[in-house]
Amino acid sequence: MLLIVCPYCGARPELEFSYGGEAHVARPKDPASVSDAEWADYLYARSNPKGVHAERWRHTHGCARFFNALRDTLSDRFLATYRIGEKRPDLA
Amino acid sequence: MQRFSALSLIRHSLGGHLGWQPQWRSPEPKAEYDAVIVGAGGHGLGAAYYLAKEHGMRNIAVLEKGWLGGGNTGRNTTIIRSNYLYDESAALYDHALKLWENLSQELNYNVMFSQRGVMMLAHTVHDVQIFKRHVHANRANGVDNEWLTAEQAKEFCPPLHIGPGLRYPVLGAALQRRGGTARDDAVAWGYARAADALGVDIIQNCEVTAIRRGTAGGVEAVETSRGAIRTRRVGVSAAGNTSVVMAMAGLRMPLESYPLQALVSEPVKPMFPCVVMSNTIHAYISQSDKGELVIGAGMDAYVSYSQHGALHIPAQTLEAICELFPMFRRMRMLRNWGGIVDVTPDRSPILAKTEVAGLYVNCGWGTGGFKATPGAAHLLAWTIARDEPHPINAPFTIERFRDGVVIDEAAAAAVSH
Ligand SMILES: Cc1cc2nc3c(=O)[nH]c(=O)nc-3n(C[C@H](O)[C@H](O)[C@H](O)COP(=O)(O)OP(=O)(O)OC[C@H]3O[C@@H](n4cnc5c(N)ncnc54)[C@H](O)[C@@H]3O)c2cc1C
Ligand SMILES: [Zn+2]
């Protein structure tokens, strides 16, 4: 089970959290003006990387708040967690 | 190729079984092939076999980053069935099921296909309605599926507990009698041996690291950990790694890769006659011919390439198994592992040409592509050889997401199988 550091509550077991998919996927501001291909890309295409993945989590059984995380999808290690609205941390 | 028969077994046993040759070669990669398949799982090996056998393409290679059959093919719980809801899916999965029925003969290799029946349990009114709808839809498509009462389900599978006190009572079941299991490794080995005999080069420990495209955009070559290989046709059949491989050609895919876990018990005498699946409480189980209980757990929640998952996932599955089959409560588990499955938004596969000339993809089989192995392989070969899809896989494009013609099998594929 993963140990996840909620930016509000600290380290808690995975069971307290829900996964929310890839982070920073922005909804097009004016859906009517984008092409079908762009809309499908927003809805369905995901980066799905082998390596660092920016993703959303929700501390459902804790503070109930959403936050973002950077995790290495090969080792499952969390590299950073950060609050919604904060910029993706630069790991370099 | 040394053919297997009762006679050859007897002859070789007299020689102490020392006279068998390796079942496939380990060739060095050539500088150029007419077609290259990425990924030596059952799907990729099978595609190479059908390309050689049915389309006369002999100068082809299957490139595998690890060992053949070491991906999801060798990690799955081998449930085979074709009772999917929509017409497109029923045609696709039943195409595979028909090929399974003759596969051992076709390959001269015992894939241990056993049509022992797949029974899916209904625990809620909603389950009952959905399964009955499936039964009717399947029958309209010529796919066998029948409704059983709880008592009939117990008769078909005596270890099943249907008595009072169950948190999720068994209200009935849908049974596909033509469904069953097969030996996963044997499928990979059987296709590898048969493809090799037709001249296909199977190159293991050869990871594809880049796909080179020419000025006109089409595929020209692949770079690998064993050097560059020129080719104008690349078929990607890399399961959980598909997004990574397709990104090498500059394509973004509607896929996410998740760990899916399974586990087996210590081997015991034959006592479990069929396959039982429960979508609602998420468990599925059968007994291998070796005697182990083969148990499928759920997907972990997050994208990962780690090939293992967290223990609370199989623990939850075992709770469901013990509730349904109280006689297994003292059974000990032997091994637990994970594979990385590539999941599409509509839980249906993608088996298609791509916008890149010469690049073909077979992916998105997610938690349930073992059952499709011969069918997917056959259709991928067709699509590569003719540069156009077979009518059966024509609906399974990438563009269906753009065009809104998804094939939503989330209900049929709700349990990871
Ligand atoms: C635990 C578990 C249980 C399952 N249970 C069932 C079930 O009961 N019934 C069912 O129908 N399905 C089941 N599945 C799904 C099924 O296993 C897969 O859909 C199917 O085996 C996919 O076959 P494949 O040949 O496409 O993939 P794989 O066997 O995974 O083959 C893909 C190959 O590509 C190789 N590869 C990847 N990237 C590269 C690269 N860059 N270069 C070279 N090679 C590369 C990999 O090493 C791998 O060997 C299960 C899966 C899992 C993990
Ligand atoms: Zn919190």
PDB file of all heavy atoms in Angstrom, chain A residues 15 20 24 27 32 35-36 41 48 52 54-55 58 60 64 71-72 81:
ATOM      1  N   LEU A  15      -5.344   3.832   1.507  1.00  0.00           N
ATOM      2  CA  LEU A  15      -6.772   3.540   1.635  1.00  0.00           C
ATOM      3  C   LEU A  15      -7.608   4.770   1.956  1.00  0.00           C
ATOM      4  O   LEU A  15      -8.811   4.787   1.721  1.00  0.00           O
ATOM      5  CB  LEU A  15      -7.003   2.485   2.726  1.00  0.00           C
ATOM      6  CG  LEU A  15      -6.760   1.036   2.340  1.00  0.00           C
ATOM      7  CD1 LEU A  15      -7.114   0.114   3.499  1.00  0.00           C
ATOM      8  CD2 LEU A  15      -7.609   0.666   1.122  1.00  0.00           C
ATOM      9  N   GLY A  20      -7.422  10.528  -8.757  1.00  0.00           N
ATOM     10  CA  GLY A  20      -8.245  11.396  -9.613  1.00  0.00           C
ATOM     11  C   GLY A  20      -7.725  11.566 -11.024  1.00  0.00           C
ATOM     12  O   GLY A  20      -8.135  12.481 -11.726  1.00  0.00           O
ATOM     13  N   HIS A  24      -3.502  18.660 -14.329  1.00  0.00           N
ATOM     14  CA  HIS A  24      -3.201  19.746 -15.279  1.00  0.00           C
ATOM     15  C   HIS A  24      -3.755  19.469 -16.679  1.00  0.00           C
ATOM     16  O   HIS A  24      -3.159  19.868 -17.668  1.00  0.00           O
ATOM     17  CB  HIS A  24      -1.682  19.997 -15.354  1.00  0.00           C
ATOM     18  CG  HIS A  24      -1.038  20.157 -14.017  1.00  0.00           C
ATOM     19  ND1 HIS A  24      -1.418  21.123 -13.115  1.00  0.00           N
ATOM     20  CD2 HIS A  24      -0.051  19.444 -13.404  1.00  0.00           C
ATOM     21  CE1 HIS A  24      -0.685  21.008 -12.012  1.00  0.00           C
ATOM     22  NE2 HIS A  24       0.145  19.993 -12.157  1.00  0.00           N
ATOM     23  N   ARG A  27      -9.515  22.064 -19.377  1.00  0.00           N
ATOM     24  CA  ARG A  27     -10.689  22.040 -20.255  1.00  0.00           C
ATOM     25  C   ARG A  27     -10.603  23.242 -21.194  1.00  0.00           C
ATOM     26  O   ARG A  27     -10.395  24.370 -20.733  1.00  0.00           O
ATOM     27  CB  ARG A  27     -11.951  22.143 -19.407  1.00  0.00           C
ATOM     28  CG  ARG A  27     -13.237  21.960 -20.158  1.00  0.00           C
ATOM     29  CD  ARG A  27     -14.407  21.959 -19.164  1.00  0.00           C
ATOM     30  NE  ARG A  27     -15.596  21.390 -19.754  1.00  0.00           N
ATOM     31  CZ  ARG A  27     -16.512  22.104 -20.398  1.00  0.00           C
ATOM     32  NH1 ARG A  27     -16.351  23.401 -20.558  1.00  0.00           N
ATOM     33  NH2 ARG A  27     -17.581  21.504 -20.908  1.00  0.00           N
ATOM     34  N   ALA A  32     -16.858  25.121 -28.020  1.00  0.00           N
ATOM     35  CA  ALA A  32     -17.469  25.195 -29.342  1.00  0.00           C
ATOM     36  C   ALA A  32     -16.465  25.572 -30.417  1.00  0.00           C
ATOM     37  O   ALA A  32     -16.663  25.288 -31.600  1.00  0.00           O
ATOM     38  CB  ALA A  32     -18.621  26.197 -29.327  1.00  0.00           C
ATOM     39  N   SER A  35     -11.707  21.885 -32.481  1.00  0.00           N
ATOM     40  CA  SER A  35     -12.084  20.826 -33.415  1.00  0.00           C
ATOM     41  C   SER A  35     -12.452  19.554 -32.657  1.00  0.00           C
ATOM     42  O   SER A  35     -12.142  19.412 -31.468  1.00  0.00           O
ATOM     43  CB  SER A  35     -10.908  20.534 -34.354  1.00  0.00           C
ATOM     44  OG  SER A  35      -9.875  19.906 -33.615  1.00  0.00           O
ATOM     45  N   ASP A  36     -13.111  18.627 -33.345  1.00  0.00           N
ATOM     46  CA  ASP A  36     -13.450  17.343 -32.717  1.00  0.00           C
ATOM     47  C   ASP A  36     -12.200  16.635 -32.218  1.00  0.00           C
ATOM     48  O   ASP A  36     -12.189  16.018 -31.158  1.00  0.00           O
ATOM     49  CB  ASP A  36     -14.180  16.439 -33.723  1.00  0.00           C
ATOM     50  CG  ASP A  36     -15.600  16.921 -33.982  1.00  0.00           C
ATOM     51  OD1 ASP A  36     -16.035  17.884 -33.310  1.00  0.00           O
ATOM     52  OD2 ASP A  36     -16.266  16.336 -34.862  1.00  0.00           O
ATOM     53  N   ASP A  41      -8.975  14.799 -27.763  1.00  0.00           N
ATOM     54  CA  ASP A  41      -7.680  14.752 -27.084  1.00  0.00           C
ATOM     55  C   ASP A  41      -7.840  15.178 -25.626  1.00  0.00           C
ATOM     56  O   ASP A  41      -7.315  14.536 -24.713  1.00  0.00           O
ATOM     57  CB  ASP A  41      -6.688  15.659 -27.815  1.00  0.00           C
ATOM     58  CG  ASP A  41      -5.268  15.452 -27.306  1.00  0.00           C
ATOM     59  OD1 ASP A  41      -4.615  14.483 -27.750  1.00  0.00           O
ATOM     60  OD2 ASP A  41      -4.838  16.237 -26.435  1.00  0.00           O
ATOM     61  N   ASN A  48       0.105   9.218 -19.907  1.00  0.00           N
ATOM     62  CA  ASN A  48       0.371   7.828 -19.499  1.00  0.00           C
ATOM     63  C   ASN A  48       1.855   7.482 -19.540  1.00  0.00           C
ATOM     64  O   ASN A  48       2.254   6.487 -20.139  1.00  0.00           O
ATOM     65  CB  ASN A  48      -0.409   6.883 -20.434  1.00  0.00           C
ATOM     66  CG  ASN A  48      -0.568   5.485 -19.865  1.00  0.00           C
ATOM     67  OD1 ASN A  48      -0.516   5.289 -18.648  1.00  0.00           O
ATOM     68  ND2 ASN A  48      -0.729   4.503 -20.736  1.00  0.00           N
ATOM     69  N   VAL A  52       7.865  10.105 -14.553  1.00  0.00           N
ATOM     70  CA  VAL A  52       7.192  11.072 -13.676  1.00  0.00           C
ATOM     71  C   VAL A  52       5.793  11.403 -14.208  1.00  0.00           C
ATOM     72  O   VAL A  52       5.628  11.750 -15.367  1.00  0.00           O
ATOM     73  CB  VAL A  52       8.027  12.363 -13.555  1.00  0.00           C
ATOM     74  CG1 VAL A  52       7.329  13.328 -12.599  1.00  0.00           C
ATOM     75  CG2 VAL A  52       9.416  12.042 -13.070  1.00  0.00           C
ATOM     76  N   ALA A  54       2.221  13.583 -13.299  1.00  0.00           N
ATOM     77  CA  ALA A  54       1.498  14.541 -12.455  1.00  0.00           C
ATOM     78  C   ALA A  54       0.059  14.074 -12.367  1.00  0.00           C
ATOM     79  O   ALA A  54      -0.592  13.851 -13.389  1.00  0.00           O
ATOM     80  CB  ALA A  54       1.575  15.935 -13.058  1.00  0.00           C
ATOM     81  N   GLU A  55      -0.443  13.917 -11.145  1.00  0.00           N
ATOM     82  CA  GLU A  55      -1.768  13.309 -10.984  1.00  0.00           C
ATOM     83  C   GLU A  55      -2.510  13.922  -9.803  1.00  0.00           C
ATOM     84  O   GLU A  55      -1.913  14.503  -8.904  1.00  0.00           O
ATOM     85  CB  GLU A  55      -1.619  11.798 -10.787  1.00  0.00           C
ATOM     86  CG  GLU A  55      -0.780  11.433  -9.572  1.00  0.00           C
ATOM     87  CD  GLU A  55      -0.311   9.978  -9.592  1.00  0.00           C
ATOM     88  OE1 GLU A  55      -0.247   9.372 -10.673  1.00  0.00           O
ATOM     89  OE2 GLU A  55      -0.018   9.461  -8.498  1.00  0.00           O
ATOM     90  N   ARG A  58      -7.414  12.690  -3.982  1.00  0.00           N
ATOM     91  CA  ARG A  58      -8.306  13.336  -3.037  1.00  0.00           C
ATOM     92  C   ARG A  58      -8.219  12.589  -1.714  1.00  0.00           C
ATOM     93  O   ARG A  58      -8.314  11.358  -1.694  1.00  0.00           O
ATOM     94  CB  ARG A  58      -9.743  13.307  -3.568  1.00  0.00           C
ATOM     95  CG  ARG A  58     -10.682  14.067  -2.674  1.00  0.00           C
ATOM     96  CD  ARG A  58     -12.077  14.182  -3.267  1.00  0.00           C
ATOM     97  NE  ARG A  58     -12.888  14.957  -2.351  1.00  0.00           N
ATOM     98  CZ  ARG A  58     -14.138  14.660  -2.039  1.00  0.00           C
ATOM     99  NH1 ARG A  58     -14.742  13.623  -2.595  1.00  0.00           N
ATOM    100  NH2 ARG A  58     -14.809  15.395  -1.179  1.00  0.00           N
ATOM    101  N   THR A  60     -10.043  11.534   0.525  1.00  0.00           N
ATOM    102  CA  THR A  60     -11.480  11.319   0.733  1.00  0.00           C
ATOM    103  C   THR A  60     -11.830  11.049   2.204  1.00  0.00           C
ATOM    104  O   THR A  60     -12.771  11.616   2.745  1.00  0.00           O
ATOM    105  CB  THR A  60     -11.956  10.115  -0.110  1.00  0.00           C
ATOM    106  OG1 THR A  60     -11.306  10.188  -1.375  1.00  0.00           O
ATOM    107  CG2 THR A  60     -13.452  10.133  -0.292  1.00  0.00           C
ATOM    108  N   ALA A  64     -10.676  15.455   2.953  1.00  0.00           N
ATOM    109  CA  ALA A  64     -11.570  15.473   1.789  1.00  0.00           C
ATOM    110  C   ALA A  64     -11.120  16.428   0.689  1.00  0.00           C
ATOM    111  O   ALA A  64     -11.859  16.669  -0.248  1.00  0.00           O
ATOM    112  CB  ALA A  64     -13.017  15.759   2.189  1.00  0.00           C
ATOM    113  N   ARG A  71       4.542  11.458  -9.196  1.00  0.00           N
ATOM    114  CA  ARG A  71       4.898  10.101  -8.790  1.00  0.00           C
ATOM    115  C   ARG A  71       5.639   9.446  -9.949  1.00  0.00           C
ATOM    116  O   ARG A  71       5.330   9.684 -11.115  1.00  0.00           O
ATOM    117  CB  ARG A  71       3.630   9.307  -8.446  1.00  0.00           C
ATOM    118  CG  ARG A  71       3.878   7.908  -7.866  1.00  0.00           C
ATOM    119  CD  ARG A  71       2.546   7.271  -7.427  1.00  0.00           C
ATOM    120  NE  ARG A  71       1.561   7.375  -8.484  1.00  0.00           N
ATOM    121  CZ  ARG A  71       1.419   6.451  -9.451  1.00  0.00           C
ATOM    122  NH1 ARG A  71       2.139   5.363  -9.454  1.00  0.00           N
ATOM    123  NH2 ARG A  71       0.518   6.631 -10.402  1.00  0.00           N
ATOM    124  N   ASP A  72       6.618   8.632  -9.625  1.00  0.00           N
ATOM    125  CA  ASP A  72       7.330   7.857 -10.646  1.00  0.00           C
ATOM    126  C   ASP A  72       6.519   6.584 -10.891  1.00  0.00           C
ATOM    127  O   ASP A  72       6.375   5.763  -9.990  1.00  0.00           O
ATOM    128  CB  ASP A  72       8.734   7.518 -10.147  1.00  0.00           C
ATOM    129  CG  ASP A  72       9.539   6.740 -11.181  1.00  0.00           C
ATOM    130  OD1 ASP A  72       8.921   6.112 -12.074  1.00  0.00           O
ATOM    131  OD2 ASP A  72      10.773   6.742 -11.085  1.00  0.00           O
ATOM    132  N   THR A  81       4.122  16.221  -3.365  1.00  0.00           N
ATOM    133  CA  THR A  81       2.684  16.501  -3.398  1.00  0.00           C
ATOM    134  C   THR A  81       2.530  18.008  -3.204  1.00  0.00           C
ATOM    135  O   THR A  81       3.343  18.634  -2.529  1.00  0.00           O
ATOM    136  CB  THR A  81       1.909  15.751  -2.297  1.00  0.00           C
ATOM    137  OG1 THR A  81       2.500  16.014  -1.028  1.00  0.00           O
ATOM    138  CG2 THR A  81       1.903  14.256  -2.536  1.00  0.00           C
TER     139      THR A  81
END
